[in-house]
Amino acid sequence: MTLLATLASGTWLANAHTAADGAPGGGRGTNILVVGIDSRAGLSAAEKRRLHVGGKGCNCTDVMMLLHLSEDGRRASVVSVPRDSYVEYADGTGKRGKINGAYALGGGPMTVRTVEKATGLHIDHYLETGFTGFEQAVNDLGGATVCTDKPLQDENSGLDIAAGVHHTDGNTTLRYVRARHINRAGDLGRMRRQQRMVVDLLARLTADGSLSGPVNAARTARALLKSVRTDAGTDVFDLVRIGRTLGGLRPHQAEFVTVPIRIFDHRVPGVGSTLLWHEERSAALWKALAADRPVTGDTRIQPAGADATPTRPSGIAVRVDDATVAAALRRGGFAVTDTSESAPAVRPAGPPVIRYAPGREEDATTLAAALPGARLRPVAHHGATFEVTVGSKPVRVKSVTYDRNVADGAPVTSDRLSCAGAAGQPSGAMP
């Protein structure tokens, strides 16, 4: 249930309504809302087992992406919208709930109007797909590429893949993009994986020429139309236009972001755990798209920037053999034990050294951000507590800011998300 797969398998309702409906004005560029539906309607017991989608569907949107194509066709901005975003529905009642619940109130049209109400953007096109459509689409496109630097298992989605780069069929890819219970549980990590899968699928289709030139693009579109249901206003030429625009972009011209979140577990009676958007940052995101501007590099959308850390300092236990450094790290929020009484009389040459157990790379990155210049040394069979050995060089302790948005949903260009681009990132960054 991703952008390209939906082009291949879903329902495309082009120009589902016009601005005269009371929707926001057209703005610059083109906005396409892409959704994957969580519904088991029509699935046989065998299909549910094969797709690992047992249980009761919610007749709601499970995946939601907003694609903005710039007016000049030289940039694509993809925004993942968390399914549990707490918004007001566009049904005129003032009722609020999770954004994925708009579908049950009025299908695609209500989903479109609700997204428009929440974002202030006009939606020009709407696409949707379900489980079997997604599987078929990925298979029709020749499979997908997924990558991870550690094994990934998720009992709920049925995902079970080893570390490495994998060429996956539609079934495995569906499990990969649906998984919500690996690493940091929840939607943000899952949406980053969905974005990464879109990036690598698009890169492969571009590399093999499937989207290049009108002939190849039309051939691809016609093949996809065998499993695509469209409205009367959408034909093969619409798919060709979208495909050629996406296929003509270089990696730095496609950017991906998740709506910035302020509260990750906002409890609402009768609704459950929801997500509250960060008002200022999300407003800046929608304004950038409305003005047809890039979202990467915009500090109004993600002001924490490079100073943000991927994990929370308070969850990192660390032993430090220097009293001054220990006190500074404690003020910065780390759980510190001062071991300066057992420190060596002569400090080892060089900067501080951080020793830690393999698999704790994200926490190590956070601690290293607080100790600029420190050396990271994973140690087999090391305990859960980090060890900081202060060396002969002067130590500067820097305050760090934990922002889960930065860890899982900050604006990045596609070259940072691709399996090739992710290869050089710290362990834990790729999933």
Side-chain angles (χ1 to χ4, degrees):
M1 284 150 357
T2 59
L3 179 63
L4 290 175
T6 306
L7 284 173
S9 65
T11 302
W12 174 301
L13 302 178
N15 298 318
H17 60 88
T18 66
D21 299 332
R28 298 176 57 192
T30 302
N31 296 316
I32 305 167
L33 184 65
V34 181
V35 303
I37 304 302
D38 182 355
S39 173
R40 278 73 169 170
L43 294 180
S44 66
E47 286 177 317
K48 292 179 182 179
R49 288 192 298 270
R50 178 173 56 78
L51 297 172
H52 209 88
V53 293
K56 184 179 180 181
C58 62
N59 190 34
C60 63
T61 53
D62 186 53
V63 176
M64 183 177 290
M65 287 183 172
L66 176 61
L67 165 65
H68 175 83
L69 296 179
S70 64
E71 191 171 40
D72 61 9
R74 296 181 179 179
R75 185 181 63 260
S77 303
V78 180
V79 181
S80 291
V81 182
R83 54 175 282 164
D84 294 335
S85 300
Y86 191 56
V87 300
E88 181 179 338
Y89 297 129
D91 60 356
T93 66
K95 179 181 178 181
R96 295 174 63 86
K98 297 181 181 181
I99 200 168
N100 68 342
Y103 191 85
L105 296 176
M110 178 58 65
T111 298
V112 167
R113 292 198 296 272
T114 297
V115 170
E116 290 184 329
K117 185 177 184 65
T119 66
L121 297 172
H122 174 70
I123 303 301
D124 300 290
H125 303 292
Y126 169 83
L127 302 83
E128 72 176 48
T129 189
F131 296 131
T132 56
F134 176 86
E135 179 191 33
Q136 180 182 354
V138 172
N139 288 335
D140 288 345
L141 291 170
T145 300
V146 302
C147 55
T148 174
D149 57 1
K150 61 184 68 174
L152 298 179
Q153 291 91 26
D154 177 48
E155 182 178 351
N156 290 59
S157 72
L159 177 67
D160 186 2
I161 60 175
V165 179
H166 306 273
H167 184 75
T168 55
D169 62 8
N171 189 299
T172 302
T173 307
L174 176 65
R175 299 178 185 215
Y176 176 80
V177 299
R178 290 186 62 237
R180 301 180 70 189
H181 302 281
I182 56 180
N183 299 328
R184 288 184 297 275
D187 267 353
L188 264 69
R190 180 178 79 143
M191 287 184 288
R192 198 54 123 186
R193 289 193 301 276
Q194 293 165 358
Q195 293 170 0
R196 177 165 286 122
M197 197 280 283
V198 170
V199 167
D200 285 306
L201 184 57
L202 177 59
R204 183 175 58 77
L205 291 174
T206 301
D208 67 18
S210 297
L211 302 176
S212 64
V215 175
N216 286 345
R219 185 181 297 115
T220 300
R222 289 193 181 95
L224 296 180
L225 278 172
K226 295 177 181 177
S227 59
V228 170
R229 185 164 60 92
T230 72
D231 74 326
T234 303
D235 55 24
V236 65
F237 299 105
D238 296 293
L239 296 180
V240 169
R241 177 178 59 84
I242 297 294
R244 290 194 66 191
T245 298
L246 293 172
L249 298 175
R250 296 184 178 183
H252 69 277
Q253 294 175 306
E255 51 187 11
F256 291 77
V257 63
T258 298
V259 180
I261 303 300
R262 180 170 61 86
I263 299 178
F264 284 88
D265 187 18
H266 177 63
R267 298 281 172 166
V268 179
V271 178
S273 178
T274 69
L275 301 175
L276 291 185
W277 293 353
H278 191 291
E279 291 85 350
E280 292 80 11
R281 296 187 194 181
S282 61
L285 172 62
W286 309 132
K287 287 179 181 178
L289 296 181
D292 206 23
R293 297 194 312 263
V295 300
T296 48
D298 190 333
T299 57
R300 292 166 297 184
I301 297 171
Q302 196 55 267
D307 292 334
T309 59
T311 53
R312 195 184 303 275
S314 61
I316 302 175
V318 54
R319 293 164 56 90
V320 186
D321 68 353
D322 181 275
T324 301
V325 174
L329 286 174
R330 188 178 294 113
R331 288 193 299 271
F334 293 90
V336 177
T337 299
D338 183 349
T339 62
S340 57
E341 290 186 358
S342 60
V346 179
R347 293 287 180 181
V353 175
I354 301 173
R355 293 178 174 85
Y356 62 96
R360 298 289 303 281
E361 284 76 16
E362 288 193 335
D363 285 338
T365 298
T366 296
L367 182 54
L371 296 170
R375 295 174 180 170
L376 291 173
R377 289 186 181 172
V379 178
H381 310 298
H382 196 281
T385 300
F386 285 73
E387 298 280 349
V388 174
T389 301
V390 175
S392 61
K393 286 190 174 182
V395 179
R396 179 171 68 95
V397 179
K398 181 180 178 181
S399 296
V400 296
T401 302
Y402 168 69
D403 189 335
R404 187 174 167 188
N405 293 284
V406 173
D408 292 320
V412 293
T413 51
S414 65
D415 51 312
R416 294 284 304 279
L417 288 180
S418 69
C419 287
Q425 296 183 27
S427 177
M430 291 168 62

